Amino acid sequence: MARQHGEAGTGRPAYGTVPAGPPADPAAAGIGLLTLVERTLGTGTAVYVPGDGWIRLTLPLDDGGPAPVTVDVVADTRRTPRGIAYLLPGGGLNFGSCFFTPSDLNLVHRMRREGLLVVGVTPREDAATAQDIGPDWGLAAHRRDLASVVEALDGAFGLPYQYVGHSAGALLALDAASHDDSPRLTRVVALDTTGPYSGDLAVRAAQTRTAYEARIERGSYATDPGLAAVLARAVTDPAGSSEVPWPPDPELRFTHAGLAHFVLVRTSLLPGPANWIYTQGHAAGSYSFGATPAADRFALAHTTLATWHAATAALGSGLIPDALLRDLAAVWAGEGKTYAIDWERISAEVVWINSELGRGDHSRGARLIRVGEGPQPRRVRFAVVPGYGHGDPLWSRTAAADVWSLF
């Protein structure tokens, strides 16, 4: 049965009548592709947003759970896609915050223009409350949710596809690839993530895993990094006094703007079980203390504070399941008990790009993928982008030239 978009009360754009099956000429109307996606994935309240040469579908997948996985699909309205890119956001982020920021220059549009149907899979915790999140929301649960989406869309489209992830999403991409033997999986792009450490760092990772195990045993199932609130205050009241002690004189307090920049640039110095994993920080930049908090001097090198604020303002809950953090730390530790990725089972091409000041030059995961090469060498490329922080590969105004060109 044909569906009429733009009908009164639907809130959808008027793109005309869409055939019940796959459109004969999807290049003429990207809405046909998105209608097929909506019908394939089943229930949920779909929202369509048109753009200049593209259209976006946002579809929460109602499976009866306490919070839905949300799928975002961005289709080009001028051409038929040659493949699919599944975009997997980092911990606490969602598709819009991670990949659709800035709105005019982002990785989604880059991949769309390259002829790909972009499918963002936002994990359940983005739509959850702390009470919704349970002790079983670990990496395996995230992988199963992703696999259900991929399996459904693969059956509908049969196109080559790739996994593209950032941070925790990059480890999810690699884990998914180790369980995915489809010949249509062609590539994994891992942005600023960490495979197993060795030596003292592996010991520290095991301690981090133990810390999150203890939190779960105490009945704590979610962590809120709080970055969104810090950045919002930095934008709305930059000179105001925060509640955080100023290191040169703990009797004084950071300004809101100072705190935001310190948190972004000096993340590795912050308390918390997992901040040590950053070589320096979420963002590249500088920070020097003055005679008073108001006299501090700071700057971001690649990504503006406005972009950081836009990204975090697009968050849902911002929560990260402690079970996910536990499993990530177990992968970092490389101990193979709590959770492990079977690196040798990854047969797709892997492009692994880290940032120097984010996760740094830790390539053991990429080397482990090569161990099981066999007679045909696998294509595994590992690179480190100099001068970039953890979020800069996504949001820097020069990321297209500095990072995305390496794909």
Side-chain angles (χ1 to χ4, degrees), residues 241-318:
S241 180
S242 76
E243 298 178 355
V244 178
W246 186 58
D249 183 352
E251 295 299 317
L252 302 178
R253 299 292 183 263
F254 277 106
T255 66
H256 290 312
L259 177 61
H261 283 80
F262 191 84
V263 166
L264 291 175
V265 172
R266 303 296 180 191
T267 315
S268 62
L269 301 180
L270 302 178
N275 287 320
W276 63 271
I277 63 175
Y278 301 102
T279 303
Q280 179 173 301
H282 288 304
S286 59
Y287 200 105
S288 60
F289 295 112
T292 66
D296 286 357
R297 294 292 176 263
F298 40 79
L300 299 178
H302 296 292
T303 304
T304 67
L305 186 66
T307 297
W308 275 97
H309 178 234
T312 54
L315 297 180
S317 71

Side-chain angles (χ1 to χ4, degrees), residues 49 139 171 253:
V49 176
L139 194 53
L171 267 193
R253 299 292 183 263

Side-chain angles (χ1 to χ4, degrees), residues 189-257:
V189 178
L191 295 175
D192 210 41
T193 199
T194 310
Y197 291 110
S198 57
D200 291 343
L201 290 179
V203 173
R204 193 165 186 180
Q207 293 169 344
T208 298
R209 179 212 63 220
T210 300
Y212 284 111
E213 286 177 339
R215 284 176 57 87
I216 294 169
E217 290 173 1
R218 294 194 301 267
S220 172
Y221 301 141
T223 294
D224 183 354
L227 186 58
V230 170
L231 291 171
R233 286 190 289 268
V235 170
T236 59
D237 183 20
S241 180
S242 76
E243 298 178 355
V244 178
W246 186 58
D249 183 352
E251 295 299 317
L252 302 178
R253 299 292 183 263
F254 277 106
T255 66
H256 290 312

Side-chain angles (χ1 to χ4, degrees), residues 11-15 27-31 34 47-58 73-78 100 103-104 106 108-109 112-113:
R12 294 174 177 168
Y15 277 86
I31 188 66
L34 301 194
V47 176
Y48 289 81
V49 176
D52 182 10
W54 55 270
I55 186 166
R56 174 182 175 183
L57 160 73
T58 301
V73 186
V74 179
D76 200 306
T77 57
R78 300 187 178 108
F100 214 65
S103 60
D104 62 330
N106 55 59
V108 172
H109 286 320
R112 172 185 62 81
R113 286 192 294 268

Side-chain angles (χ1 to χ4, degrees), residues 36-266:
L36 179 57
V37 170
E38 183 181 351
R39 291 172 178 168
T40 299
L41 295 178
T43 60
T45 303
V47 176
Y48 289 81
V49 176
D52 182 10
W54 55 270
I55 186 166
R56 174 182 175 183
L57 160 73
T58 301
L59 180 65
L61 306 183
D62 183 4
D63 62 357
V69 172
T70 299
V71 174
D72 282 272
V73 186
V74 179
D76 200 306
T77 57
R78 300 187 178 108
R79 73 188 85 184
T80 302
R82 62 177 176 83
I84 300 175
Y86 290 95
L87 270 55
L88 312 177
L93 300 179
N94 57 36
F95 167 80
S97 63
C98 195
F99 298 112
F100 214 65
T101 305
S103 60
D104 62 330
L105 179 66
N106 55 59
L107 187 54
V108 172
H109 286 320
R110 169 67 171 249
M111 303 194 91
R112 172 185 62 81
R113 286 192 294 268
E114 291 176 349
L116 297 173
L117 183 69
V118 177
V119 179
V121 182
T122 295
R124 299 176 188 274
E125 55 264 26
D126 185 66
T129 66
Q131 291 71 35
D132 294 328
I133 297 175
D136 56 347
W137 289 37
L139 194 53
H142 286 70
R143 189 188 71 242
R144 289 191 295 269
D145 283 340
L146 170 62
S148 66
V149 174
V150 174
E151 182 179 3
L153 295 184
D154 189 44
F157 290 98
L159 290 171
Y161 62 90
Q162 57 186 284
Y163 297 127
V164 181
H166 174 254
S167 191
L171 267 193
L172 173 59
L174 291 160
D175 193 24
S178 75
H179 288 81
D180 188 338
D181 58 2
S182 170
R184 285 181 292 281
L185 174 60
T186 59
R187 186 171 69 162
V188 179
V189 178
L191 295 175
D192 210 41
T193 199
T194 310
Y197 291 110
S198 57
D200 291 343
L201 290 179
V203 173
R204 193 165 186 180
Q207 293 169 344
T208 298
R209 179 212 63 220
T210 300
Y212 284 111
E213 286 177 339
R215 284 176 57 87
I216 294 169
E217 290 173 1
R218 294 194 301 267
S220 172
Y221 301 141
T223 294
D224 183 354
L227 186 58
V230 170
L231 291 171
R233 286 190 289 268
V235 170
T236 59
D237 183 20
S241 180
S242 76
E243 298 178 355
V244 178
W246 186 58
D249 183 352
E251 295 299 317
L252 302 178
R253 299 292 183 263
F254 277 106
T255 66
H256 290 312
L259 177 61
H261 283 80
F262 191 84
V263 166
L264 291 175
V265 172
R266 303 296 180 191

